[in-house]
Amino acid sequence: MSRNSQALRKLCMAALFAALCYVGFTYCKIDIPVGAEKTAFHLGNVFCVLAALFLGGFWGGMSGAVGMTIADLTTAYVTSAPKTFVLKLCIGLITGLLAHKVFRISQEGQRKVSLPVATVISCAGGMAFNMVADPVVGYFYKMYVLGVPQQAASIWVKIGAVTTAVNAVVAVIAASVFYLALRPALKRSNLLPVVK
């Protein structure tokens, strides 16, 4: 397969994952009102992490960043769009770094641990970042960018931290299961992207 066709395939898969991130956030969520703001239990992070496992950190992160930012812009979360772009990109970068550079899940003979263990740890690394960064960045973003009073921002952070933790656990479990189930089929059909 030529380099151009590999790049085109990766771009198409990134677009597919961006669409899945959009759908996972827009249609597979439970909104929780927090004063004038909202937080949500959603499945968008599942596809962001899954994209990083299949496509690598950059393309996986961009899939999550683009898909979930568009979801924010087209729903009641429009003020969170800049924060979402940065955080979802970082989730993908961290998950991809762990999966492909540390554990080498794409390289059959060079893995340091078993594929299931590497997959779960990689997903957990990206989501652990989000569990810390989302409330912290959200707190300062709401106070200094959106002008939300400190007390309201701190209440939002506490409730948002709970939803972020639940979303993280769901994303680690679901993305790991999906990756381990889909990887053999994609490999057999020669559709598994090459990540270096």
Side-chain angles (χ1 to χ4, degrees), residues 19 47 77 123 183:
F47 300 108
Y77 296 87
C123 293
R183 187 179 193 279

Side-chain angles (χ1 to χ4, degrees), residues 170-190:
V170 170
V172 170
I173 294 168
S176 297
V177 169
F178 289 155
Y179 179 76
L180 294 170
L182 293 171
R183 187 179 193 279
L186 289 174
K187 189 173 181 180
R188 275 194 306 273
S189 62
N190 201 27

Side-chain angles (χ1 to χ4, degrees), residues 8-97:
L8 182 60
R9 179 181 292 174
K10 192 173 271 194
L11 181 62
C12 290
M13 288 184 80
L16 173 67
F17 277 114
L20 288 169
C21 288
Y22 173 84
V23 168
F25 182 79
T26 304
Y27 300 108
C28 304
K29 74 175 177 205
I30 300 169
D31 285 322
I32 300 166
V34 183
E37 295 288 322
K38 289 183 182 180
T39 186
F41 295 114
H42 63 85
L43 298 180
N45 290 339
V46 172
F47 300 108
C48 180
V49 172
L50 191 60
L53 292 173
F54 278 117
L55 303 173
F58 176 75
W59 286 104
M62 286 304 291
S63 296
V66 169
M68 291 178 68
T69 298
I70 292 171
D72 278 356
L73 292 171
T74 58
T75 61
Y77 296 87
V78 69
T79 58
S80 297
K83 175 181 75 91
T84 295
F85 186 88
V86 171
L87 290 175
K88 301 317 172 192
L89 177 61
C90 289
I91 290 171
L93 290 171
I94 291 167
T95 303
L97 173 75

Side-chain angles (χ1 to χ4, degrees), residues 1-13 190-191 193-194:
M1 180 181 303
S2 74
R3 251 182 132 160
N4 288 340
S5 61
Q6 284 180 359
L8 182 60
R9 179 181 292 174
K10 192 173 271 194
L11 181 62
C12 290
M13 288 184 80
N190 201 27
L191 292 174
V194 177

